């Protein structure tokens, strides 16, 4: 479950990051002022495309359900068409020796190319949401399992009390209290309290197994929160800088959006 449901949360996020890198490197290629800058931008663009394709291939191993495979196929097809458009624009820019590839720049901001980028972003976003939903379902199953275990423990306590008050009190002390603590921890996680430690992870019994499973789910929930933060802020920044056509406007807008996120008072953007 960890490999297919929780570890796979990062799989669609990595292609999304490389998709943004492809767009950035393509703009740098078109804005290059000499052969050296163009060659460096071309190398970065090629590397970003290779990493994007490699991450999509890796995602196929981590997506097992038919729904996941269908979403992955849609995303792969859209990304393939977008990368073909990127390759055409890059080749068109490379053929221009004046370092003013107006035709390539026009194609970059052409409606069909922008639509392909948006569609690719939406397909990857659908993958992220699908994996998040699977993680939440696994979390709910763990809650149900904990509730079932607690009910079973209470039944055992009732049966034990028939054998003697002493045995019943012993079972109540050794089972009910740890499960109550686990239940309170689950309720806290459901309220968004993800920083408190899960108790009884060192128990070598069913209680300890449940506690360790909750620790895994708690870590996954933290990753989901980070993914939400990265995804929302990345989308906002991309939407702000994508229509910009000048480097100064791009730099000012990018730094204005990034600085508050990282707690910086000011920033500089160096173009190599």
């Amino acid at each position: 479950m960890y490999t297919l449901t929780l570890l796979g949360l990062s799989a669609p996020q990595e292609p999304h990051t490389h998709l943004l890198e492809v767009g950035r490197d393509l703009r740098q290629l078109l804005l290059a002022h000499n052969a050296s800058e163009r060659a460096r931008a071309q190398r970065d663009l090629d590397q970003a495309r290779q990493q994007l394709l490699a991450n999509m291939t890796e995602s196929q191993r981590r997506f097992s359900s038919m729904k996941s495979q269908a979403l992955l196929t849609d995303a792969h097809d859209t990304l393939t068409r977008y990368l073909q458009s990127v390759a055409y624009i890059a080749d068109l820019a490379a053929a221009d020796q004046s370092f003013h590839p107006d035709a390539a720049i026009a194609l970059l901001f052409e409606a069909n190319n922008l639509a392909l980028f948006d569609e690719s972003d939406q397909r990857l976003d659908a993958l992220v949401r699908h994996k998040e939903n699977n993680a939440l379902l696994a979390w709910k199953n763990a809650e149900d399992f904990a509730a079932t275990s607690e009910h079973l423990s209470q039944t055992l306590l009732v049966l034990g009390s028939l054998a003697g008050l002493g045995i019943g009190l012993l079972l109540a002390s050794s089972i009910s209290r740890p499960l109550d603590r686990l239940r309170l921890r689950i309720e806290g996680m459901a309220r968004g309290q993800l920083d408190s430690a899960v108790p009884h992870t060192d128990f070598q019994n069913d209680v300890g197994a449940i506690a360790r499973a909750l620790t895994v789910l708690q870590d996954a929930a933290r990753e989901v929160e980070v993914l939400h933060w990265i995804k929302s802020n990345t989308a906002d920044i991309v939407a702000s800088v994508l229509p910009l056509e000048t480097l100064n406007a791009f730099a000012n807008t990018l730094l204005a959006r990034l600085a508050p996120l990282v707690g910086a008072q000011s920033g500089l953007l160096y173009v190599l």
Side-chain angles (χ1 to χ4, degrees):
M1 181 188 74
Y2 174 76
T3 300
L4 295 179
T5 303
L6 301 180
L7 185 58
L9 281 172
S10 63
Q13 187 63 34
E14 293 172 356
H16 186 271
T17 300
H18 294 309
L19 174 64
L20 299 178
E21 291 176 352
V22 168
R24 178 202 63 192
D25 295 335
L26 181 59
R27 288 192 297 271
Q28 291 179 345
L29 178 66
L30 300 182
L31 295 174
H33 295 92
N34 53 57
S36 176
E37 291 182 1
R38 176 174 288 178
R40 184 184 303 110
Q42 183 66 57
R43 287 194 302 270
D44 293 341
L45 177 60
D46 292 340
Q47 182 179 5
R49 285 188 293 188
Q50 291 173 0
Q51 291 175 333
L52 175 57
L53 294 174
N55 288 145
M56 291 302 294
T57 301
E58 175 66 16
S59 295
Q60 293 177 350
R61 186 176 64 84
R62 298 181 178 177
F63 285 64
S64 58
S65 69
M66 294 181 61
K67 176 65 173 179
S68 298
Q69 289 291 337
L71 291 173
L72 187 62
T73 298
D74 291 341
H76 189 276
D77 292 343
T78 305
L79 284 172
T80 298
R81 289 187 284 119
Y82 175 67
L83 291 180
Q84 289 174 346
S85 176
V86 169
Y88 179 77
I89 295 173
D91 291 342
L92 189 63
D96 187 294
Q97 302 301 320
S98 65
F99 296 98
H100 295 287
D102 295 336
I105 293 175
L107 281 177
L108 175 64
F109 294 101
E110 197 265 335
N112 288 337
N113 185 67
L114 294 176
L116 273 176
F117 179 88
D118 290 339
E119 184 179 356
S120 299
D121 180 72
Q122 291 170 6
R123 298 292 188 188
L124 292 176
D125 183 63
L127 280 173
V128 172
R129 290 199 305 271
H130 179 66
K131 295 304 292 184
E132 289 174 351
N133 291 336
N134 285 347
L136 291 175
L137 179 60
W139 188 354
K140 180 61 169 60
N141 290 338
E143 287 185 316
D144 293 341
F145 176 71
T148 301
S149 298
E150 183 178 6
H151 177 73
L152 177 60
S153 298
Q154 292 173 348
T155 301
L156 291 175
L157 287 175
V158 172
L159 294 176
S161 65
L162 297 178
L165 180 61
I167 297 177
L169 293 175
L170 178 63
L171 290 175
S173 176
S174 63
I175 298 178
S176 291
R177 291 179 183 177
L179 284 173
D180 285 340
R181 296 189 186 99
L182 289 179
R183 177 178 56 80
L184 293 175
R185 182 81 286 275
I186 292 174
E187 292 174 354
M189 292 169 64
R191 293 192 298 269
Q193 299 172 1
L194 303 177
D195 295 328
S196 299
V198 177
H200 308 311
T201 56
D202 57 336
F203 281 20
Q204 300 302 315
N205 53 20
D206 290 343
V207 174
I210 296 172
R212 290 187 289 274
L214 288 177
T215 299
V216 173
L217 292 173
Q218 182 172 266
D219 293 340
R222 290 171 180 158
E223 293 179 5
V224 169
E225 283 193 342
V226 172
L227 286 174
H228 273 304
W229 186 86
I230 294 174
K231 179 70 176 63
S232 61
N233 286 290
T234 299
D236 291 342
I237 293 174
V238 170
S240 299
V241 303
L242 192 60
L244 305 178
E245 299 183 5
T246 66
L247 183 59
N248 285 339
F250 175 83
N252 290 335
T253 302
L254 177 64
L255 293 177
R257 300 302 300 272
L258 282 178
L261 296 178
V262 299
Q265 299 297 321
S266 61
L268 293 174
L269 177 65
Y270 290 92
V271 179
L272 302 178

